[in-house]
Amino acid sequence: MSSSVAEAEADVCCANCGAAEIDDIKLEDCDGCDLLKYCSEKCREEHREQHEEECKNRRVLLHDRKLFTQPNGTHLGECPLCFLPLPLDPEKYVFHTCCSEIICKGCLYANYKSNLHDEMKAWRCPFCRDSTEDDDEGNKMLTKRVEANDPAALSHMGGVCCNEGDYEGAFEYFKKAAELGDIEAHSNIGVMYRKGEGVEKDEEKMVYHYEMAAIGGHAKARHNIACIEEENGNIQSSVKHLIIAANLGYEISMKTLWKHYSVGNITKEDLDATLRSHQAAIDATKSEQRAKVEELARRRLQSRR
């Protein structure tokens, strides 16, 4: 019997008793991998010891495959107005509590310039058109979105608590946001487990949340994993993570790869390919409006010196 036929038969029969899937027998996947099926919890338990090693190896393979897959973009996604990828630098975008949208400063500048004749419109959120001037009103809007279990609002509220030194409160907000799929929250929880802020230090949980963030396209979290892997002596794994983070436009990872190249941990071909992808990711975030905002910021900084 060919291996393909055997695999096909195993896919439609219980791995323990051999029962086929018929009307009154429903097979369910192994709870650890996607290799085998079982007709009952009893069969699953009886076969566990026999299947344990294969299941463990398969889980590792599936985990690594998922972890090292290049994300389509960063966790930030695109600006909802100009549809360009948001830059990784948090100084270049703003989170709006009124609608929980992240908007690039280029679009904020364009909205302001196009509404100079109407000060009320100029300072409204360019996405939902609510007022962004009143901090009290903004806090009320944020509270409403938190109460509605908006993951982005929960994550933002966690950041507010961190800034105020309320790490236990921050952790609760981040935890709920992460459960709802917020990538930034996963990264922040990883930091909290690393520093022991609001929770006890826990390396295993730290790595788990960093990995969840990295899979979701969080470049800094992936860079942190790369640092951990390097500390543990897993150089090639570290380099793989750095390449993915650099491909997303994370400059620190790109600079770190140059250091790895100097000691022979990455080939010239791979470094050049990564550099091209890195620059393309950065270029994709550029626009005339965003460049204008950066120029204005530079002029203000120079005028203060």
Side-chain angles (χ1 to χ4, degrees), residues 12-219:
V12 295
C13 296
C14 174
N16 186 55
C17 69
E21 186 170 52
I22 53 179
D23 291 341
D24 58 341
I25 297 178
K26 298 297 181 183
L27 301 181
E28 295 184 359
D29 290 331
C30 166
D31 54 8
C33 69
D34 59 357
L35 291 174
L36 304 178
K37 294 180 181 291
Y38 297 100
C39 66
S40 66
E41 189 62 32
K42 180 174 179 291
C43 278
R44 192 193 306 274
E45 288 301 320
E46 289 178 354
H47 196 252
R48 189 176 297 279
E49 184 175 350
Q50 180 181 339
H51 177 52
E52 186 174 12
E53 187 64 28
E54 181 184 33
C55 185
K56 179 181 177 181
N57 293 336
R58 180 65 175 174
R59 284 200 305 270
V60 171
L61 176 64
L62 292 174
H63 173 266
D64 286 353
R65 183 181 297 170
K66 188 176 182 180
L67 181 60
F68 287 108
T69 297
Q70 174 74 35
N72 292 327
T74 75
H75 69 294
L76 294 168
E78 300 173 341
C79 172
L81 295 175
C82 65
F83 302 111
L84 293 176
L86 284 162
L88 292 176
D89 185 353
E91 294 294 321
K92 296 180 180 181
Y93 58 79
V94 175
F95 176 85
H96 283 253
T97 56
C98 47
C99 54
S100 291
E101 290 289 346
I102 297 176
I103 301 173
C104 75
K105 287 189 175 179
C107 285
L108 296 179
Y109 172 76
N111 177 70
Y112 176 77
K113 289 291 288 184
S114 63
N115 289 292
L116 284 176
H117 61 286
D118 188 333
E119 189 173 346
M120 288 294 293
K121 286 185 178 180
W123 291 107
R124 286 184 182 275
C125 170
F127 183 79
C128 71
R129 300 303 176 184
D130 269 323
S131 174
T132 61
E133 287 185 289
D134 193 325
D135 289 341
D136 289 337
E137 188 63 28
N139 290 334
K140 288 179 183 178
M141 292 178 180
L142 177 61
T143 300
K144 286 182 180 179
R145 300 197 73 87
V146 166
E147 290 173 348
N149 287 328
D150 181 328
L154 287 162
S155 185
H156 183 76
M157 186 66 88
V160 171
C161 288
C162 273
N163 292 336
E164 295 174 349
D166 179 12
Y167 296 114
E168 291 184 2
F171 179 78
E172 291 304 317
Y173 282 118
F174 287 143
K175 181 181 177 182
K176 195 166 186 179
E179 290 171 352
L180 293 170
D182 189 84
I183 300 303
E184 188 68 41
H186 275 295
S187 178
N188 286 326
I189 291 174
V191 173
M192 297 184 85
Y193 276 119
R194 176 171 62 84
K195 294 182 176 181
E197 294 177 337
V199 290
E200 291 185 7
K201 289 184 178 182
D202 191 313
E203 185 173 347
E204 185 176 343
K205 291 179 180 179
M206 171 192 71
V207 171
Y208 168 77
H209 285 286
Y210 277 159
E211 288 184 345
M212 290 296 292
I215 290 169
H218 200 294

